[in-house]
Amino acid sequence: MTLVAGIDSSTQSCKVVVRDAGTGALVRHGSAPHPAGTEADPADWEQALHRAVAAAGGIDDVAALSVGGQQHGAVCLDEDGNVVRPAMLWNDTRSAGAAEELVGELGAAEWVRRTGSVPVASFTVTKLRWMAGHEPANARRIAAVCLPHDWLTWRLRGAPGIDAITTDRSDASGTGYFDPVSNEHLHDLVVRALGHDVLLPRVLAPSEGLTHGNLVIGPGAGDNAAAAIGVGAGNDAVVSLGTSGTAFVRSDVCARDVSGSVAGFADATGAFLPLVCTLNAAQVLDAACTVLGVDHHGLARLAMSAHSGADGLVMVPYLNGERTPNLPFATGGLLGLTLANMTPANIARAAVEGILCGIAGAIDALRAEGAVVDTVRLVGGAASSPAVRAIAPGILGVPVLLPVPGEYVADGAARQAAWALTGELPQWPVESEAAEQTRSAAHVRERYAEARQHWIARNSD
């Protein structure tokens, strides 16, 4: 039996799966947490990776591996390969003003024409502009910029020199200085943001492997692109509810949304991955658990005991700012409170409905760009909640498939590793069940839309 490993270095933790390259059967797995925050010392990721590998029983018997990682994080290195400053992560909103500056300088249409996306605070290019303006001494030291999965892959290869750092097109397409159609970095946009040019990683082909001793290391991928491979996404839309919430579809053409709602990302197979991201998903449920003094099972029971619409209570869950709509400094709101509806059950229900209404808006944005969304595959940590599973079909308005809970980013990385090893992307089975179809909750979406417009106006002042 030939073994392959997949690594998911996410915002919150590192997960490792070891699978049979032929059948996809899970052999063993392990995980380790990452420190919380919106910036991180990359060394913490490497230490977590080693702990997760140890928890998974090691990788000495593995023939190939690949790394999926959180997108956008700016890992800045000097000419000797030393980290210049802690990596600013996707959820660091300090660069919101830098994003506005960059969009104002070229115009949204030009950014979309060149990169497929309008820069927002999460994108790497905005982090570079922020550093140039706020940390000029650090900015001048930067000789190379890469992404979290690029850096970990490089470290796994023994850190042979910054000119050996590699990336893949899916993760590169989230930087704001990459053309996902030509698959080329746009160095003039780096210079515009940072003030000088830097070394950028070589972009590997989707199945291109690198060798390190007897180990084949795949090109890696951004977390959403890896999840698309892991879940076996075809024509279905995928909704991933992790730290952030994302909705994406596989496409043969790059998205060109000048409004900025849909990012024109590449996928990890050679196609494209139009994607809409909301900043608030699983952490909203975590916060609701804290407020209500329950665990996640208790929260789910409360939510399912309440009526659809939470008796008029609406949560606008912008607890960490928001990306779609682009309100990086927004706060959340609990609207429509009355003496009658201010109950734990309604608060729990409003938290779940608020997350899902945001995702329903993301799916609407994909449809506006021409995507056909007839079915949704629901994955991610929050997708394991019985309440999320029960409420999602009514809010999203389409049949919902529920893949067996798993580590789909790590699984996608493992499939890519097998691809790099054998030259053929394996067709591993993914078990799914259909969520029970419930009555349409259009009234919930209408009420949420009214509350959201009120909240957008308040947070835009």
Side-chain angles (χ1 to χ4, degrees):
M1 179 170 60
T2 301
L3 299 180
V4 294
I7 297 164
D8 172 15
S9 183
S10 72
T11 311
Q12 295 178 310
S13 64
C14 181
K15 282 85 68 176
V16 175
V17 300
V18 177
R19 291 188 173 272
D20 180 340
T23 67
L26 180 64
V27 177
R28 56 187 190 265
H29 62 91
S31 65
H34 285 157
T38 60
E39 66 176 27
D41 182 346
D44 290 335
W45 302 331
E46 188 172 22
Q47 292 167 11
L49 171 58
H50 291 318
R51 292 196 300 271
V53 165
I59 56 173
D60 290 344
D61 55 350
V62 165
L65 63 77
S66 193
V67 182
Q70 54 177 300
Q71 290 188 264
H72 310 304
V75 182
C76 300
L77 307 176
D78 66 16
E79 60 185 10
D80 296 319
N82 300 309
V83 174
V84 170
R85 71 172 317 281
M88 294 178 69
L89 306 186
W90 61 274
N91 55 354
D92 192 323
T93 58
R94 285 178 291 178
S95 58
E100 292 181 359
E101 291 174 3
L102 289 167
V103 175
E105 289 168 12
L106 290 183
E110 182 66 6
W111 282 100
V112 167
R113 184 186 72 81
R114 300 196 64 194
T115 71
S117 304
V118 179
V120 292
S122 58
F123 283 26
T124 316
V125 70
T126 71
K127 315 299 186 188
L128 300 184
R129 171 58 71 88
W130 184 90
M131 289 180 214
H134 292 79
E135 299 179 353
N138 280 337
R140 287 191 294 270
R141 289 181 56 208
I142 298 172
V145 179
C146 61
L147 300 165
H149 107 256
D150 308 338
W151 188 82
L152 281 172
T153 299
W154 178 64
R155 296 292 296 177
L156 285 167
R157 294 171 56 213
I162 59 174
D163 59 345
I165 300 174
T166 59
T167 191
D168 88 299
R169 62 191 294 271
S170 74
D171 218 1
S173 66
T175 61
Y177 46 78
F178 181 79
D179 182 344
V181 176
S182 68
N183 295 322
E184 295 177 343
H185 289 297
L186 303 172
H187 284 265
D188 65 300
L189 297 181
V190 175
V191 174
R192 174 176 290 276
L194 187 61
H196 67 272
D197 203 1
V198 298
L199 182 71
L200 297 173
R202 180 168 70 89
V203 182
L204 300 179
S207 62
E208 185 176 351
L210 304 166
T211 57
H212 180 63
N214 295 323
L215 183 67
V216 173
I217 300 178
D223 50 5
N224 291 295
I229 295 178
V231 78
N235 295 325
D236 300 332
V238 177
V239 167
S240 178
L241 298 177
T243 305
S244 61
T246 56
F248 51 88
V249 293
R250 190 176 184 276
S251 174
D252 292 329
V253 296
C254 181
R256 302 289 186 186
D257 179 15
V258 177
S259 78
S261 294
V262 181
F265 293 159
D267 83 342
T269 70
F272 299 92
L273 201 74
L275 179 146
V276 182
C277 178
T278 65
L279 290 187
N280 299 279
Q283 289 180 325
V284 175
L285 301 185
D286 294 340
C289 286
T290 299
V291 168
L292 298 173
V294 296
D295 61 14
H296 283 276
H297 292 294
L299 186 76
R301 285 194 296 271
L302 284 171
M304 289 188 292
S305 72
H307 296 129
S308 176
D311 292 332
L313 193 62
V314 178
M315 180 180 289
V316 181
Y318 299 167
L319 307 189
N320 196 33
E322 191 45 82
R323 172 168 161 179
T324 307
N326 186 25
L327 296 169
F329 302 115
T331 57
L334 196 58
L335 308 181
L337 283 166
T338 67
L339 288 174
N341 68 17
M342 192 174 175
T343 66
N346 282 331
I347 292 172
R349 181 88 184 197
V352 174
E353 290 180 343
I355 294 169
L356 290 171
C357 283
I359 289 295
I363 292 172
D364 287 346
L366 290 173
R367 287 189 175 117
E369 283 295 299
V372 176
V373 181
D374 294 326
T375 306
V376 163
R377 293 176 183 259
L378 188 62
V379 299
S384 63
S385 164
V388 170
R389 289 171 169 242
I391 297 169
I395 298 287
L396 302 183
V398 294
V400 173
L401 294 177
L402 303 169
V404 172
E407 301 295 348
Y408 285 105
V409 174
D411 289 345
R415 279 189 72 193
Q416 187 193 63
W419 192 10
L421 181 67
T422 67
E424 183 175 351
L425 182 63
Q427 299 303 308
W428 295 343
V430 178
E431 295 182 33
S432 299
E433 62 176 304
E436 182 179 350
Q437 299 306 299
T438 56
R439 292 173 55 185
S440 170
H443 67 289
V444 177
R445 288 204 60 194
E446 290 170 3
R447 177 77 175 124
Y448 175 83
E450 293 173 1
R452 190 181 80 157
Q453 287 304 117
H454 167 80
W455 211 244
I456 288 174
R458 174 172 174 166
N459 280 273
S460 297
D461 291 340

